[in-house]
Amino acid sequence: MNRLRLSGAYVAIMLAGLLLFAAAAVFAIDRTQRSTLDARLATAGRAAATFVDVSHGQIRIDADDRQQFLTVLGADTDGAVFDMRRRVLLSSAARVPPDIAPPAGTSPVIRNAGHGDAIVRVFSWPMLAGGKRLGTVVVWRSSDWIDETDRGLAIVLAGAALLIAGLALLAGNFVTRRALEDAFARQRRFTADASHELRAPLAVIRAEADLAIRKEREPAQYRAALETIASEADYMESLIGDLLTAARAESGHVQRERVDASAILERVAERLQPAAAAKGASIDVQAAPGAFVVADGHALERALLAIGHNAVRYAAASGKVELHARRSDHTVEIAVQDNGPGFSREALDHALERFWREPGAAAGTGSGLGLAIARSVVEANEGTIMLSNAANGAQVRLRFPAA
């Protein structure tokens, strides 16, 4: 039902837009046709007047004038010559409509005449001699063909709009259905993966608790069980925090402000130091000044921390993890690089997906959320994330518009 409502709303908006466009097109074409008709009538009227002779203040019309007058008007246009008393001296029509009679005055006039379905467009051209009007040349033509053209065009455009809307409804319904199915499928996979990740530490906690309460044990054994439970609880807390970070980023609910990427990178390096020291690795930070971006600083720090932990995990023993932040004209780039084996081909394609792990990875090597969370945070802050292999290890680069 929601899918149909979404598709229906989209099609209704599109249909309204198409009908407005059709109405505007009909109006524009109607104005153009009527302007063209007026121009043709004015040209024919002025040309016809040149073939009417004036002698001694009187209009004189002979057989040659009549023939030339009719030739200038053509087959689609009628015309007549009136004297000062509005008497018809010459006409191309068998009967001159009474509304065609010229108005008084010495200026050209273009107007409508008739009523109902018999409306014609009329152009009057006064014939002057010494500033005095001797008569008037009047030409007219029916404008019914313009109305018929407007109606035909309106029908065609309205039909086309309905056809496009119908096709859009079918296509939109199909696309919406596929999009919703994909979204639900991703949600189901996410729920299943999250449940699997949470089930393992819960099983450990339950097993340790059962063993601890099944019979009396030594204090050291109780302590070991509690330490295991605490460790698994810490893992669950971290996993839930990661899931919430990804959810907030993907929902778009981020509080963005101008932050110093170099300062964030320095804090990340400080937090990574204990893990690096335990592995005998060093952390090298090269943070250029002025690397400001508009982002959620806390989320960005968490994303960089996740990337950094991956780099420390895969760095060679007694190796090095490099953190860089630099600014170009309009971009700030943050890079995290280790000197480990680098990304596999599968990792380059899938490591940014949630819960993805390298095939054959040992248990306890992570939740598969670190890089996925980083991607969600980066994209929510209008940045991009790229995975690549450098000359001596894996590299993750983040790019943001410079603030």
Side-chain angles (χ1 to χ4, degrees):
M1 182 63 67
N2 290 334
R3 184 179 74 242
L4 292 177
R5 288 178 180 175
L6 181 62
S7 299
Y10 167 74
V11 170
I13 293 172
M14 185 178 67
L15 179 60
L18 289 172
L19 292 177
L20 286 175
F21 170 78
V26 171
F27 177 79
I29 292 173
D30 177 84
R31 294 299 92 191
T32 300
Q33 289 179 324
R34 294 188 186 278
S35 296
T36 301
L37 175 60
D38 290 348
R40 289 178 179 176
L41 289 175
T43 300
R46 288 192 295 266
T50 62
F51 297 107
V52 178
D53 295 332
V54 177
S55 177
H56 303 292
Q58 298 291 326
I59 296 177
R60 306 293 183 183
I61 300 175
D62 56 23
D64 290 338
D65 294 339
R66 180 184 298 274
Q67 183 59 43
Q68 290 173 332
F69 182 86
L70 297 177
T71 301
V72 168
L73 295 178
D76 297 327
T77 304
D78 288 315
V81 179
F82 293 81
D83 64 11
M84 283 294 297
R85 298 180 180 178
R86 297 188 179 181
R87 294 180 300 184
V88 178
L89 303 179
L90 172 63
S91 175
S92 65
R95 178 179 175 275
V96 178
D99 294 337
I100 298 301
T106 58
S107 299
V109 176
I110 191 159
R111 59 192 176 88
N112 288 329
H115 57 277
D117 296 332
I119 296 178
V120 295
R121 195 67 169 164
V122 182
F123 175 75
S124 302
W125 179 261
M127 298 179 63
L128 306 176
K132 180 181 179 182
R133 185 163 68 93
L134 304 179
T136 307
V137 174
V138 179
V139 295
W140 68 91
R141 183 180 177 183
S142 172
S143 59
D144 290 346
W145 63 276
I146 296 179
D147 296 330
E148 293 175 1
T149 301
D150 291 345
R151 284 192 292 270
L153 181 61
I155 292 172
V156 170
L157 291 178
L162 291 173
L163 177 61
I164 293 173
L167 293 175
L169 178 61
L170 295 176
N173 191 31
F174 174 76
V175 171
T176 303
R177 184 178 69 251
R178 291 293 301 273
L180 289 176
E181 288 175 353
D182 291 343
F184 286 135
R186 288 194 299 269
Q187 187 66 30
R188 286 193 294 269
R189 287 196 301 270
F190 172 76
T191 303
D193 291 338
S195 299
H196 174 75
E197 291 294 329
L198 291 170
R199 189 179 295 116
L202 282 174
V204 174
I205 291 173
R206 181 59 184 267
E208 290 291 340
D210 286 345
L211 288 174
I213 64 177
R214 187 171 299 169
K215 63 179 182 178
E216 294 292 330
R217 297 182 180 274
E218 297 294 327
Q221 292 176 319
Y222 283 121
R223 182 178 183 85
L226 290 174
E227 288 176 348
T228 300
I229 291 173
S231 175
E232 294 300 321
D234 289 341
Y235 173 76
M236 290 180 62
E237 183 180 9
S238 175
L239 177 62
I240 293 172
D242 289 343
L243 293 174
L244 288 175
T245 299
R248 289 193 189 100
E250 293 181 356
S251 67
H253 296 300
V254 294
Q255 296 180 348
R256 301 174 63 200
E257 57 184 354
R258 190 172 184 265
V259 295
D260 187 350
S262 296
I264 292 177
L265 208 59
E266 294 282 1
R267 292 198 298 271
V268 169
E270 184 177 350
R271 295 178 65 180
L272 289 174
Q273 194 62 49
K279 194 170 184 176
S282 63
I283 297 180
D284 179 24
V285 181
Q286 297 181 16
F292 290 95
V293 298
V294 178
D296 184 334
H298 295 294
L300 180 57
E301 183 172 340
R302 189 177 184 90
L304 288 171
L305 194 62
I307 297 172
H309 275 303
N310 273 353
V312 171
R313 180 182 300 118
Y314 290 103
S318 300
K320 181 171 64 173
V321 174
E322 300 178 6
L323 308 179
H324 302 275
R326 60 179 65 89
R327 174 174 179 157
S328 61
D329 292 338
H330 304 290
T331 304
V332 170
E333 181 176 278
I334 303 172
V336 179
Q337 181 174 335
D338 62 61
N339 64 342
F343 290 111
S344 66
R345 184 181 299 274
E346 291 81 6
L348 289 174
D349 293 334
H350 302 289
L352 295 176
E353 299 173 5
R354 285 182 297 197
F355 297 110
W356 185 86
R357 292 190 184 90
E358 192 79 42
T365 56
S367 63
L369 279 174
L371 291 178
I373 290 172
R375 184 192 66 179
S376 298
V377 170
V378 170
E379 291 178 351
N381 288 280
E382 300 183 358
T384 57
I385 182 170
M386 294 159 285
L387 308 183
S388 62
N389 287 319
N392 58 345
Q395 186 180 72
V396 180
R397 290 177 294 161
L398 315 181
R399 286 180 181 169
F400 298 91

